[in-house]
Amino acid sequence: MRKAALLAAVMLAATFATTTTQAAAKKDPAAAAQQNTENFMKAATNPYEATSKPAAKAKKHVAMKKKKGKKKKA
């Protein structure tokens, strides 16, 4: 009798454990609305952020080498 009661208790606990995690996994619509509002306000205050590109890397300046040649006599 005790084994049957223990089995029923374990089965019942397992059932509630899986349903509570599924219920907790649902996204809150109020939180999604808050995120949308935050994104909207960021875009409104800085409209160029979405289309701006990062600056290109600076190129190293390489000095031109002087050509070695014959010197002209005056």
Side-chain angles (χ1 to χ4, degrees), residues 1-73:
M1 195 63 154
R2 289 182 183 176
K3 289 183 181 179
L6 181 61
L7 179 63
V10 170
M11 295 285 287
L12 188 62
T15 304
F16 281 119
T18 57
T19 56
T20 54
T21 56
Q22 289 175 355
K26 292 181 182 177
K27 292 184 179 179
D28 185 18
Q34 177 80 20
Q35 184 64 38
N36 288 342
T37 305
E38 183 179 346
N39 292 343
F40 178 76
M41 293 305 291
K42 282 182 182 177
T45 55
N46 189 3
Y48 299 106
E49 183 179 14
T51 58
S52 65
K53 294 181 182 177
K57 291 184 178 179
K59 295 182 180 179
K60 291 183 180 179
H61 180 70
V62 179
M64 295 184 67
K65 295 180 181 178
K66 293 184 180 180
K67 293 183 181 180
K68 293 183 179 179
K70 296 181 181 178
K71 293 183 181 179
K72 293 184 179 179
K73 292 183 181 179

